[in-house]
Amino acid sequence: MSNREIPETSPSEQSEAFSLAVDGMGGDGAPDVVVAGLAIAADRHPGMRVLLTGDEAKLRPLLARHPKAEAICTIWHTDESIPMDMKPTAALRVRKSSMRLGMDAVASGKARGVVSAGNSGAMLALAKIVVKTLPGISRPAMAAISPTIKGDVVMLDLGANVVCDWRNLVEFAVMGEAFAKAVLGLPAPRIGLLNIGSEELKGDEKLRIASEVLRESPLASQFHGFVEGHDITAGTTDVVVTDGFTGNVALKTGEGALKMATTLLRQVFSRSLVAKLGYLLVRPGLERMKEWLDPRRYNGAVFVGLNGVVVKSHGGTDAEGFAAAVDVAMDMVTHGFNDGIRERLSHMGALLSHQQSVAEREPAVIAS
Amino acid sequence: MSNREIPETSPSEQSEAFSLAVDGMGGDGAPDVVVAGLAIAADRHPGMRVLLTGDEAKLRPLLARHPKAEAICTIWHTDESIPMDMKPTAALRVRKSSMRLGMDAVASGKARGVVSAGNSGAMLALAKIVVKTLPGISRPAMAAISPTIKGDVVMLDLGANVVCDWRNLVEFAVMGEAFAKAVLGLPAPRIGLLNIGSEELKGDEKLRIASEVLRESPLASQFHGFVEGHDITAGTTDVVVTDGFTGNVALKTGEGALKMATTLLRQVFSRSLVAKLGYLLVRPGLERMKEWLDPRRYNGAVFVGLNGVVVKSHGGTDAEGFAAAVDVAMDMVTHGFNDGIRERLSHMGALLSHQQSVAEREPAVIAS
């Protein structure tokens, strides 16, 4: 789309939906990083059309410097944006923030998904109110992909729900399975429920009930059962389901451990001239390893369980990382992620409500 | 101690306490690994005297092959032992298991601590009933040390308590601090409470109350506040406090991530002849890195909060790992670990009971 077609105030005249709405003002490096990221993403997604929300006076000069981004972007101007440290309740009162316009675009069907590197609490709150939760899902979750020794793994929840019940965990399994199909392209992703190991210390009742329900569900053949922390990077399953508190800690602990390993490795290679020569000899392999573990490659957490595709980029990401978040959103839009969830839910519905009533009456029986 | 002095049936004639009781029959590699581990540990702890529980017919020939172990060990014979997969409730009914004799030795003052590589659920149950919980502590926890980029970190709980309240977390902080003093030799260890990051998603009420109590406690100057998953390996604090479920997942996720990094690294160095040459050039540095991250160096989880030193070795460890668990137990025995906890508790007692009554009456006020 050329610059001349950009609407001055609103994109309502657009007849066809935009591929994505992008919050131009969200994130530590916005709007520069956002526009530079879109320029990278433009090459990877021919035909992508972006509705870019934010301050036109700031966005237009940046687009001029990135013609590839300019060619795909339509600006939807607003003066308002949500600071990174604003409380969700306050963020909900900002009626025309760049983030909210993006959500509005998804809710009204103007865009098929939205990407923002902004305040994650505000994003979750806005997504619930504006984009709304899918029928049959009690609470949206945050999902992302991480590297394993074998391939990638989808983890959820990563912090949207600090406390979960068995029903939430079952729903996360349904959503995670659809996510792994859409983004990892797996025909039948295997699902694990994160627990702690030894028999006698085994997790609490919600885990036992969730496991029981999944074993009887249409996902039974893909349900591996319980997995432990070390199974995440071992690639034991393609999806790892857990509550938001545990998932957030596990994700960050794993990232921290990898960072420690790479820091120590850097010290090994800079110890002496001989070690530096050694580095030169293994450089190609190390570069591939670095690329495999690159956190930017895994940027793009998804709020799943909503009536639309909502992708959260890390706030401190660079252009390459932002482009990865756009990749995730485009994969989900293209592969009908929400259709997959809806289909699963229609098969799970009767089972879930049956289990709910049994669990409420006789928890001990279900848990045994 | 020479072989001739070994009592035939019971060590009751011994006037002076043994340094440690060691469960000769616990663990996947028992009794071989246990005896070989004691031979390694004997060199590192001159003067150590060990009461070795288990089947004399199996232990004696092994001791004969390891004269260093034989020189420090007295056998306390029993035919019974606890299988690795036995439920804790069943394990409690085995009256004369090698594990139980070790616990009995601590309870009766015959030994100053006990080490076992056996069934961890059975160990926790036996420790609570035989060694008993310290006055002022509501539930014992499992603690261990892990590597960070700066030094070592003490983490607890690692699985003894799947569900915790704020009071448990405060007690874990007290016990973790004493542990870090005894085993890491730090004069004033800094304490962090594991939480998830962003303001709006922040952890639940028990974390907020625990944080409030610690800020007003005698540990206030050492209390760093909340930490996140990536802070564990960053060495942000010397002690990381969390519930047993989260701690177990975090520990194993971190170990898994390090294992992935080392596996990928091995692939890098074996890709070509040139890469193999590169390996030779950086080998000394890599060996040091490997040693730093060696899981065996960190073997030896401690059940803290008991009336005695109870150390659990990984069931699948080798002799070197078992010796590390003995090191941990000897450090705790030597540095009066439990005296440190008792002293802290006497200062914390009034505060804890005050907070308890306030929390029960007005949780919202405390949480604010």
Side-chain angles (χ1 to χ4, degrees):
Chain A
M1 171 170 306
S2 86
N3 224 5
R4 279 164 308 206
E5 289 169 291
I6 293 174
E8 284 305 303
T9 50
S10 132
S12 54
E13 308 96 65
Q14 300 292 333
S15 56
E16 207 192 318
F18 287 90
S19 317
L20 295 177
V22 170
D23 174 5
M25 314 309 281
D28 304 333
D32 307 54
V33 163
V34 174
V35 173
L38 286 171
I40 296 171
D43 265 348
R44 299 207 283 246
H45 304 280
M48 175 172 68
R49 293 171 56 241
V50 170
L51 181 61
L52 184 62
T53 64
D55 187 343
E56 190 166 6
K58 287 180 181 156
L59 293 171
R60 201 168 291 280
L62 287 170
L63 286 174
R65 277 196 272 141
H66 292 280
K68 282 179 181 170
E70 188 174 44
I72 61 163
C73 283
T74 300
I75 296 175
W76 188 358
H77 172 75
T78 178
D79 291 329
E80 293 180 310
S81 62
I82 293 173
M84 293 304 268
D85 56 355
M86 185 181 261
K87 298 255 180 203
T89 43
L92 288 177
R93 289 192 295 266
V94 183
R95 303 302 299 182
K96 285 197 170 294
S97 68
S98 58
M99 188 187 282
R100 174 142 202 163
L101 293 193
M103 299 279 178
D104 285 342
V106 174
S108 66
K110 280 192 196 84
R112 298 174 66 196
V114 57
V115 180
S116 174
N119 181 327
S120 53
M123 241 183 120
L124 177 59
L126 273 171
K128 280 185 190 173
I129 284 180
V130 178
V131 181
K132 294 195 170 66
T133 305
L134 273 178
I137 293 288
S138 41
R139 288 191 287 177
M142 203 170 170
I145 51 174
S146 285
T148 82
I149 196 72
K150 292 179 188 167
D152 289 339
V153 63
V154 169
M155 268 186 73
L156 76 169
D157 178 31
L158 299 176
N161 306 282
V162 170
V163 179
C164 295
D165 61 18
W166 66 265
R167 196 191 169 94
N168 300 133
L169 294 173
V170 171
E171 289 174 7
F172 297 169
V174 170
M175 300 190 289
E177 195 255 359
F179 185 99
K181 273 185 173 160
V183 178
L184 304 185
L186 300 171
R190 292 158 306 142
I191 303 157
L193 199 52
L194 193 58
N195 199 347
I196 64 177
S198 38
E199 196 59 42
E200 70 290 354
L201 303 173
K202 234 169 205 171
D204 50 12
E205 194 168 66
K206 69 173 184 288
L207 284 167
R208 289 192 294 262
I209 300 178
S211 165
E212 181 113 343
V213 172
L214 286 168
R215 287 210 184 285
E216 292 173 18
S217 79
L219 285 172
S221 64
Q222 291 164 252
F223 181 55
H224 172 89
F226 293 131
V227 291
E228 294 190 57
H230 51 84
D231 288 306
I232 301 172
T233 47
T236 306
T237 59
D238 307 304
V239 180
V240 172
V241 171
T242 187
D243 66 89
F245 189 87
T246 311
N248 188 290
V249 167
L251 184 81
K252 288 178 179 167
T253 302
E255 285 176 357
L258 287 180
K259 197 175 169 192
M260 171 170 69
T262 52
T263 305
L264 291 173
L265 203 55
R266 208 173 302 126
Q267 290 170 4
V268 166
F269 285 117
S270 57
R271 274 179 79 218
S272 64
L273 270 175
V274 172
K276 281 173 191 162
L277 178 61
Y279 170 75
L280 291 177
L281 297 181
V282 291
R283 192 171 173 173
L286 282 178
E287 290 293 327
R288 281 212 299 187
M289 175 177 166
K290 198 178 145 194
E291 204 176 291
W292 179 252
L293 301 178
D294 188 353
R296 296 180 306 177
R297 195 164 79 82
Y298 298 95
N299 187 31
V302 178
F303 289 111
V304 294
L306 297 163
N307 261 314
V309 169
V310 180
V311 174
K312 153 94 186 106
S313 160
H314 194 285
T317 194
D318 62 9
E320 197 59 61
F322 195 84
V326 171
D327 289 345
V328 169
M330 286 301 289
D331 277 344
M332 294 176 75
V333 162
T334 310
H335 293 99
F337 167 66
N338 278 327
D339 300 337
I341 293 184
R342 276 193 209 96
E343 195 197 321
R344 278 289 181 207
L345 282 175
S346 67
H347 295 302
M348 304 273 296
L351 178 70
L352 281 170
S353 41
H354 169 70
Q355 289 286 353
Q356 180 93 52
S357 62
V358 176
E360 274 157 11
R361 267 182 291 130
E362 331 168 57
V365 174
I366 296 282
S368 70
Chain B
M1 171 170 308
S2 86
N3 226 6
R4 278 164 308 203
E5 288 169 292
I6 294 174
E8 283 305 302
T9 50
S10 132
S12 55
E13 309 96 65
Q14 300 292 331
S15 56
E16 207 191 318
F18 288 89
S19 317
L20 295 177
V22 169
D23 173 6
M25 314 310 280
D28 303 334
D32 307 54
V33 163
V34 173
V35 173
L38 285 171
I40 297 171
D43 265 347
R44 300 207 283 245
H45 304 280
M48 175 172 69
R49 293 170 58 241
V50 169
L51 181 61
L52 184 62
T53 65
D55 187 343
E56 191 167 5
K58 287 180 181 156
L59 293 171
R60 201 169 289 283
L62 287 170
L63 287 174
R65 277 196 272 141
H66 293 280
K68 284 180 179 171
E70 187 174 44
I72 60 164
C73 284
T74 300
I75 295 175
W76 188 358
H77 172 76
T78 177
D79 291 328
E80 293 180 309
S81 62
I82 293 174
M84 293 303 269
D85 56 354
M86 186 181 261
K87 299 256 181 203
T89 43
L92 289 176
R93 289 193 295 267
V94 183
R95 305 300 299 180
K96 287 197 170 294
S97 68
S98 58
M99 187 187 284
R100 174 140 201 167
L101 292 192
M103 300 279 178
D104 284 344
V106 173
S108 66
K110 281 192 194 84
R112 298 174 67 195
V114 57
V115 180
S116 173
N119 181 327
S120 52
M123 241 183 120
L124 177 60
L126 273 171
K128 280 186 191 173
I129 284 179
V130 177
V131 181
K132 294 195 171 65
T133 306
L134 272 179
I137 294 288
S138 41
R139 287 192 287 176
M142 203 170 171
I145 51 174
S146 285
T148 83
I149 195 72
K150 291 179 188 168
D152 289 339
V153 62
V154 169
M155 267 185 74
L156 76 170
D157 177 30
L158 299 177
N161 306 283
V162 171
V163 179
C164 295
D165 61 19
W166 66 264
R167 195 191 169 93
N168 300 133
L169 295 173
V170 171
E171 290 175 7
F172 296 169
V174 170
M175 301 190 287
E177 196 254 0
F179 185 98
K181 274 186 172 159
V183 178
L184 304 184
L186 300 170
R190 292 157 306 140
I191 302 157
L193 199 51
L194 192 59
N195 199 348
I196 63 176
S198 37
E199 195 60 40
E200 69 290 353
L201 303 173
K202 235 170 203 170
D204 52 12
E205 193 167 68
K206 67 173 186 288
L207 283 167
R208 290 191 294 261
I209 300 178
S211 167
E212 181 111 345
V213 171
L214 286 168
R215 287 209 183 288
E216 292 173 19
S217 78
L219 285 172
S221 64
Q222 290 163 254
F223 181 55
H224 172 89
F226 293 131
V227 291
E228 294 189 57
H230 51 84
D231 288 306
I232 301 172
T233 47
T236 306
T237 59
D238 307 304
V239 179
V240 172
V241 171
T242 187
D243 66 89
F245 189 87
T246 311
N248 188 289
V249 167
L251 183 81
K252 288 180 178 166
T253 303
E255 284 175 357
L258 288 181
K259 197 177 169 190
M260 172 170 69
T262 51
T263 306
L264 291 173
L265 203 55
R266 208 173 302 126
Q267 290 171 5
V268 166
F269 285 116
S270 58
R271 274 180 78 218
S272 64
L273 269 175
V274 172
K276 282 174 191 164
L277 178 60
Y279 170 74
L280 292 178
L281 298 180
V282 290
R283 192 170 173 172
L286 283 177
E287 290 293 327
R288 282 212 300 188
M289 174 177 166
K290 198 178 145 195
E291 204 176 292
W292 179 253
L293 301 178
D294 188 354
R296 295 180 306 177
R297 196 165 78 82
Y298 298 95
N299 188 31
V302 178
F303 289 111
V304 295
L306 297 163
N307 261 315
V309 169
V310 180
V311 174
K312 153 94 184 107
S313 160
H314 194 285
T317 194
D318 62 9
E320 197 59 60
F322 195 84
V326 171
D327 288 344
V328 168
M330 286 301 289
D331 278 344
M332 294 176 75
V333 163
T334 311
H335 293 99
F337 166 66
N338 278 327
D339 301 337
I341 294 184
R342 278 193 208 97
E343 195 196 323
R344 279 289 181 208
L345 282 175
S346 67
H347 295 302
M348 305 273 296
L351 178 70
L352 281 170
S353 39
H354 169 68
Q355 290 285 353
Q356 180 93 50
S357 62
V358 177
E360 275 159 10
R361 266 182 291 127
E362 330 168 57
V365 175
I366 296 282
S368 71

